[in-house]
C-alpha cells in the first residue's frame, strides 16, 4: 500500500520543545529545553552516550508524557507512582 505524497503534508506535526523528568529510572530530576542552544537551531540531532547514561530513559520519559505508559514501567500507576515526565509540544 503506497501513501499519497500529499497526505503527509496535510497532517499536523508535533515538535517537542521541552522535557521535564522526575524520578524516572536513575534520574532524580532533569530538564531538556530544545528551544535553547545548542539544540535550538538544529533540525536533527543524535541521542548518544555510554551504556547506562540515560538514552532509553529519555525516550521512555517521552512515552510516559505522551501516553502515560511505557513497556519498561508496566506498573507505573502502582509501582512507580513517583515517576513523572512532562513534554511541552507545539
Amino acid at each position: 500500500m503506497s501513501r499519497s505524497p500529499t497526505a503527509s503534508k496535510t497532517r499536523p506535526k508535533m515538535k517537542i520543545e521541552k522535557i521535564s523528568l522526575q524520578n524516572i529510572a536513575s534520574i532524580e530530576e532533569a530538564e531538556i529545553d530544545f528551544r535553547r542552544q545548542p539544540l535550538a537551531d538544529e533540525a536533527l540531532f543524535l541521542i548518544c552516550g555510554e551504556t547506562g547514561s540515560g538514552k532509553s530513559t529519555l525516550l521512555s520519559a517521552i512515552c510516559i508524557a505522551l501516553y502515560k505508559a511505557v513497556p519498561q514501567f508496566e506498573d507505573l500507576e502502582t509501582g512507580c507512582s513517583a515517576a513523572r515526565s512532562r513534554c511541552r509540544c507545539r
Side-chain angles (χ1 to χ4, degrees):
M1 175 181 244
S2 67
R3 288 185 167 173
S4 165
T6 57
S8 63
K9 292 180 183 178
T10 59
R11 292 183 185 163
K13 295 179 181 170
M14 177 174 46
K15 182 176 181 180
I16 298 173
E17 295 181 340
K18 185 163 118 177
I19 300 172
S20 300
L21 304 111
Q22 187 176 25
N23 297 326
I24 298 176
S26 61
I27 299 175
E28 196 172 308
E29 193 168 341
E31 183 175 276
I32 302 170
D33 192 339
F34 296 98
R35 299 168 297 178
R36 293 188 177 184
Q37 294 300 334
L39 302 173
D41 296 332
E42 301 299 326
L44 181 67
F45 54 89
L46 175 70
I47 300 170
C48 64
E50 297 290 324
T51 301
S53 63
K55 302 174 299 291
S56 295
T57 301
L58 174 61
L59 298 174
S60 294
I62 294 169
C63 289
I64 291 168
L66 296 175
Y67 307 110
K68 304 290 187 233
V70 68
Q72 295 95 307
F73 305 113
E74 284 185 8
D75 64 346
L76 183 63
E77 295 299 318
T78 58
C80 302
S81 60
R84 287 192 171 76
S85 177
R86 294 181 57 196
C87 287
R88 179 179 178 164
C89 305
R90 69 170 166 102

